[in-house]
Amino acid sequence: MTFQDELEKLRRDIHREPEIGLDLPRTQEKVLAALDGLPLEVTTGERLTSVTAVLRGGKSGGKPGPSVLLRADMDALPIQERVPVDYRSTVDGAMHACGHDLHTAMLVGAARLLSERRDQLAGDVVFMFQPGEEGHEGAKLMIDEGVLDASGSRVVAAYGMHVFSAIVPSGWFVTKGGPILAAADTFNVTVKGRGGHGSTPHRALDPVQVGCEIVSQLQTYTTRAFDVFDPVVITVGQFHAGTADNIIPDEAFFQATLRAFSPETRARLKEGVVRLATGIAEAHGLRAECSFGIGYPVTVNDAGEAAFAGEVAAEVVGADRYLTMPRPATGSEDFSFVLDEVPGAFLVLGAHAKGADPATCPTNHSPETEFDDSVMADGSHVLAALAERRLLNV
Ligand SMILES: [Zn+2]
């Protein structure tokens, strides 16, 4: 079996049995089995089914050397797969629609490549296999459990890679310095009024009317308070209130996602929406209770690390398959928690289905998402080269 065949087999095994969230016991088993026999120090997570593996480089003489971290996320999504491939999901309502199965296999591949070249490694490599990227802060939990210091000292740099099933041509690597993905925060608002009869609104405090005013003013706020070149996006995705046409309810609830592309704007946005909601409610004699759900920071690539990662990708696969991204993408990532702690870079690898048009084919998170897993050997080689070469420049 070739290296690529082995990666494909592992990826497809994981694809058939997707698991969601922080608890991925079957996926963890597959990763542990795939790493078995390699000269790694392997530990598993306490609050999540993570796998951390440390490879000691031969050139550090057995002592902990400087270290570099490579990361893959492993979780799937609550989606019913509609792709007619023979390795499609066998789990009802779960699908690897974001390509984390490819990430996992590529990182196993990088661990194999670097284990073979261990003697030449000028330091240690930490392999971070992470559950719960899709809204569960898995990266943050692994940081809390010590992944950044797993080698005995803080990693000097960290790299992550994500496949796209559309937009980027298959086999191409792209990245950029600075913000590469948006911050995303969930904003919850409960407008508390006083219920009453629909015929006598003056005897009640109507939370529906005030909730609607807040929703529409949020859009005015985004266009008047923020630079269009450091944009924000607010989408109110749900709004619930009331039980009948002639009853004024006690309260109204809505939930929005806030997106921003710089940490400063994210902070100002979170402060501003609370001020706006509570201020509007108070102006009408009601109260707005505001809270935030789990939020992911802006994913910010270190400028030097992103340039280095781009050079390495171009050297490994050829300059004709590397491109510097002109602007960030609007998705978000919990690898941002890692990049908040240590310098590093996040790269995107194009992996759309063979014969598909990247401009129109289904994106990640679609039930029809299909990835070309023949890009995986290149992905593993780039990850391995990033660690190997970065350790030479510590
Ligand atoms: Zn993803």
Side-chain angles (χ1 to χ4, degrees):
M1 237 200 274
T2 64
F3 180 59
Q4 170 62 32
D5 290 342
E6 282 172 12
L7 298 183
E8 247 173 56
K9 185 180 176 308
L10 175 61
R11 180 258 164 160
R12 293 177 184 198
D13 282 349
I14 296 170
H15 192 91
R16 275 188 203 97
E17 223 178 337
E19 296 176 297
I20 297 166
L22 296 171
D23 189 31
L24 321 172
R26 297 284 300 135
T27 310
Q28 186 188 43
E29 254 173 51
K30 291 182 180 98
V31 169
L32 291 172
L35 298 178
D36 193 37
L38 299 179
L40 302 167
E41 296 164 21
V42 178
T43 50
T44 53
E46 283 168 27
R47 282 182 293 166
L48 69 177
T49 53
S50 57
V51 176
T52 301
V54 180
L55 177 66
R56 300 284 176 199
K59 284 194 173 169
S60 35
K63 289 185 232 117
S67 56
V68 165
L69 181 143
L70 301 175
R71 173 269 203 172
D73 43 10
M74 309 192 286
D75 55 322
L77 286 158
I79 294 177
Q80 188 70 37
E81 177 155 14
R82 292 210 300 261
V83 186
V85 288
D86 60 6
Y87 55 88
R88 73 179 160 276
S89 171
T90 58
V91 180
D92 219 26
M95 173 188 179
H96 268 291
C98 202
H100 300 184
D101 49 342
L102 284 86
H103 304 168
T104 307
M106 289 192 294
L107 191 59
V108 166
R112 286 190 190 166
L113 293 171
L114 288 169
S115 293
E116 283 165 16
R117 314 204 289 254
R118 185 188 184 189
D119 291 348
Q120 288 92 58
L121 266 186
D124 304 334
V125 184
V126 177
F127 301 93
M128 172 183 179
F129 292 92
Q130 179 216 311
E133 191 283 324
E134 299 285 357
H136 304 272
E137 294 186 317
K140 191 161 182 279
L141 290 172
M142 284 191 76
I143 293 170
D144 292 347
E145 292 191 357
V147 70
L148 300 180
D149 305 296
S151 68
S153 63
R154 177 65 38 131
V155 296
V156 295
Y159 305 98
M161 191 183 283
H162 208 300
V163 289
F164 274 21
S165 66
I167 307 161
V168 180
S170 207
W172 284 50
F173 288 81
V174 302
T175 190
K176 69 181 283 296
I180 183 165
L181 292 168
D185 290 286
T186 305
F187 179 45
N188 307 304
V189 181
T190 305
V191 182
K192 302 231 169 189
R194 189 174 63 238
H197 200 289
S199 64
T200 53
H202 61 286
R203 300 175 68 100
L205 290 169
D206 186 352
V208 175
Q209 200 62 31
V210 171
C212 290
E213 189 176 332
I214 297 170
V215 169
S216 68
Q217 285 309 308
L218 285 172
Q219 299 307 323
T220 304
Y221 176 58
T222 60
T223 68
R224 302 298 88 183
F226 296 93
D227 186 335
V228 288
F229 295 107
D230 185 9
V232 302
V233 180
I234 299 183
T235 294
V236 177
Q238 57 170 330
F239 189 116
H240 303 283
T243 52
D245 64 317
N246 60 353
I247 303 168
I248 294 171
D250 278 328
E251 55 184 53
F253 169 78
F254 70 86
Q255 202 174 41
T257 30
L258 316 178
R259 290 177 198 275
F261 294 89
S262 70
E264 300 74 28
T265 294
R266 179 194 187 203
R268 200 156 69 79
L269 179 64
K270 288 178 77 173
E271 207 181 285
V273 292
V274 171
R275 191 178 60 241
L276 193 89
T278 52
I280 290 172
E282 262 171 40
H284 293 284
L286 288 80
R287 231 160 24 85
E289 284 180 6
C290 301
S291 66
F292 292 97
I294 283 178
Y296 285 180
V298 185
T299 304
V300 184
N301 281 347
D302 177 87
E305 295 292 349
F308 164 75
E311 269 166 38
V312 169
E315 266 177 56
V316 173
V317 301
D320 57 337
R321 280 206 274 138
Y322 172 73
L323 193 72
T324 301
M325 285 165 77
R327 58 170 188 265
T330 48
S332 57
E333 242 298 331
D334 73 353
F335 190 62
S336 51
F337 289 113
V338 174
L339 294 183
D340 273 359
E341 299 287 329
V342 294
F346 194 64
L347 294 91
V348 173
L349 167 57
H352 62 75
K354 283 200 173 75
D357 176 358
T360 54
C361 65
T363 59
N364 293 29
H365 290 215
S366 154
E368 282 160 10
T369 303
E370 191 180 345
F371 293 94
D372 174 7
D373 55 17
S374 71
V375 303
M376 287 193 299
D378 281 348
S380 294
H381 282 290
V382 168
L383 285 169
L386 284 168
E388 201 168 28
R389 295 189 200 179
R390 185 63 182 78
L391 286 170
L392 294 173
N393 303 324
V394 176

